[in-house]
Amino acid sequence: MDKHAGPLLREWRQRRRLSQLDLAIAANVSSRHLSFVETGRSRPTSEMILHLAEHLDVPLRDRNALLLAGGYAPAYPERGLAGPELTAVRHALQRVLAGHEPYPAVVVNRWWELVDANAAIEIFTKTAAPELLQPPVNVLRLSLHPDGMAPRIVNLPQWRAHLLARLHRQAQATGDPRLAGLHDELAAYPGGEAGRPPATDVVVPLRYRAGNTELSFLSISAVVGTPMDITVSELAIESFYPADETTAAALDRPRRSFLPNDRCRPPTPSPHCPLVVATSVTTVRSA
C-alpha cells in the first residue's frame, strides 16, 4: 500500500536527523499538530505539506510525491530542457560551458547522467569504451568503470573514494533508490583502497594521464538558483580547473593533441562530445 503524506514527512524528518520538536520550532507549528500529521490522525493541507517540505529541504520532485500522497495535485512542473519554456536556462548553461573552455565542464542531472558538455570533455572520453558513451551517459560510471577513465586516473583510489562518499551522501539525503543502486554498482568496481591524502593537499585532485601528459584538476559544482521546475532544480554544472601550472600550460596551448579542433554541437554529436543526451533530469554541491 502506498504511504500517505504523514508517514512520508516523518521519513524526511528522520532523514534530516530532526526531532518533532526541532521541526515544529523551525516551521512554527505545534509539535502536537505535527505529531498528528505524521501519524495520520490529521490530514495536512497542501500548504502545510509544502511548508514542512521547505523546512526539510525536500527536493522538488519529492515535494510533488508528498502532495500526491496527500491527495493533492503536483505543484512543480517538469519540462524538457529542449522545450521553449527552458530556453533561457539552456542558453545560460551553454554559455557557461563554452566560457569554461579550454577546461572540461559538464552539466549532469540528479542521477549523474550527462545532459551537456563542452568540447574539452574529450580529454576524459577519448579512450573510453563506446558502450559507456551511449546515451544516457552516466559520468560517475564513465569515471570509475575499468573500460572508462579509471585506467588513466593516476590517483584512482583517492578519486574513487571521493566520488563514492559524495554519491553515498546524496543517496542518503534524498532516499533515492536509483542513487543507492548506482553507488552499489560503482563500489563493486576495482580501484583500490584510498590512503590518507598528503598533508599539503587542500582538495582531492583528479590526476589524469592524457597521452604523455599528467593533468591535475580540481572541480567546482554549481546549480541554478531559485528553481521552480523539477528539471532545472536537478541540473548541476561540474567544472574542472587546473590544479597546477603544468595542467594550465598544457590546456592553454593553441594546439592541444588531446583536444578536438572544433566544438561538436547537436544535432550531430560525436561519441566523444555527446551534447544534450539526457533531458529528463541540489544547493551548491562541493566537490
Side-chain angles (χ1 to χ4, degrees):
M1 180 181 295
D2 293 339
K3 292 183 179 178
H4 296 293
L8 291 174
L9 284 166
R10 181 175 59 234
E11 288 183 5
W12 279 104
R13 176 180 60 76
Q14 293 170 341
R15 193 172 287 129
R16 297 295 182 256
R17 302 181 185 276
L18 295 173
S19 67
Q20 281 189 347
L21 182 59
D22 292 332
L23 178 57
I25 292 173
N28 195 28
V29 299
S30 76
S31 57
R32 177 183 174 85
H33 180 58
L34 179 58
S35 176
F36 280 14
V37 167
E38 290 188 352
T39 58
R41 295 178 63 186
S42 176
R43 181 173 183 263
T45 64
S46 59
E47 291 79 9
M48 177 59 70
I49 291 174
L50 292 175
H51 179 66
L52 294 173
E54 177 71 23
H55 284 277
L56 290 169
D57 195 24
V58 177
L60 300 191
R61 177 182 301 277
D62 301 287
R63 296 185 195 191
N64 276 354
L66 286 170
L67 287 168
L68 287 170
Y72 303 105
Y76 302 98
E78 183 177 8
R79 304 177 179 93
L81 188 58
E85 300 90 346
L86 300 188
T87 297
V89 173
R90 185 174 66 252
H91 288 174
L93 293 172
Q94 290 172 345
R95 291 188 187 99
V96 171
L97 294 175
H100 193 65
E101 292 180 355
Y103 312 132
V106 297
V107 178
V108 296
N109 65 16
R110 169 171 169 157
W111 302 288
W112 293 90
E113 293 168 343
L114 183 64
V115 175
D116 205 344
N118 64 12
I121 199 63
E122 190 178 11
I123 296 171
F124 299 143
T125 64
K126 191 172 185 180
T127 62
E131 59 269 22
L132 293 175
L133 301 176
Q134 293 301 311
V137 178
N138 188 284
V139 299
L140 295 187
R141 182 178 295 115
L142 175 65
S143 298
L144 299 183
H145 196 283
D147 295 327
M149 294 170 54
R152 292 179 175 271
I153 298 177
V154 178
N155 61 333
L156 179 58
Q158 291 76 25
W159 188 249
R160 174 179 179 272
H162 158 68
L163 292 184
L164 289 176
R166 182 172 172 183
L167 180 57
H168 177 72
R169 291 193 300 270
Q170 185 183 359
Q172 290 280 349
T174 61
D176 190 324
R178 284 181 62 179
L179 291 174
L182 179 61
H183 177 275
D184 292 345
E185 174 194 339
L186 302 185
Y189 292 166
E193 296 298 322
R196 291 183 60 84
T200 54
D201 284 355
V202 295
V203 298
V204 177
L206 169 61
R207 295 169 55 204
Y208 191 77
R209 284 191 300 270
N212 296 322
T213 305
E214 181 179 312
L215 305 175
S216 183
F217 296 95
L218 60 86
S219 62
I220 295 178
S221 305
V223 297
V224 179
T226 62
M228 294 299 291
D229 177 276
I230 292 174
T231 298
V232 176
S233 73
E234 295 179 346
L235 293 174
I237 303 170
E238 302 286 332
S239 304
F240 292 86
Y241 292 83
D244 57 32
E245 291 303 320
T246 300
T247 302
L251 294 180
D252 286 340
R253 293 191 200 116
R255 295 289 179 182
R256 300 178 296 281
S257 60
F258 41 81
L259 286 182
N261 291 327
D262 300 302
R263 277 182 62 87
C264 52
R265 295 181 178 275
T268 56
S270 79
H272 299 311
C273 188
L275 299 187
V276 194
V277 297
T279 56
S280 172
V281 279
T282 130
T283 61
V284 171
R285 302 185 299 186
S286 59

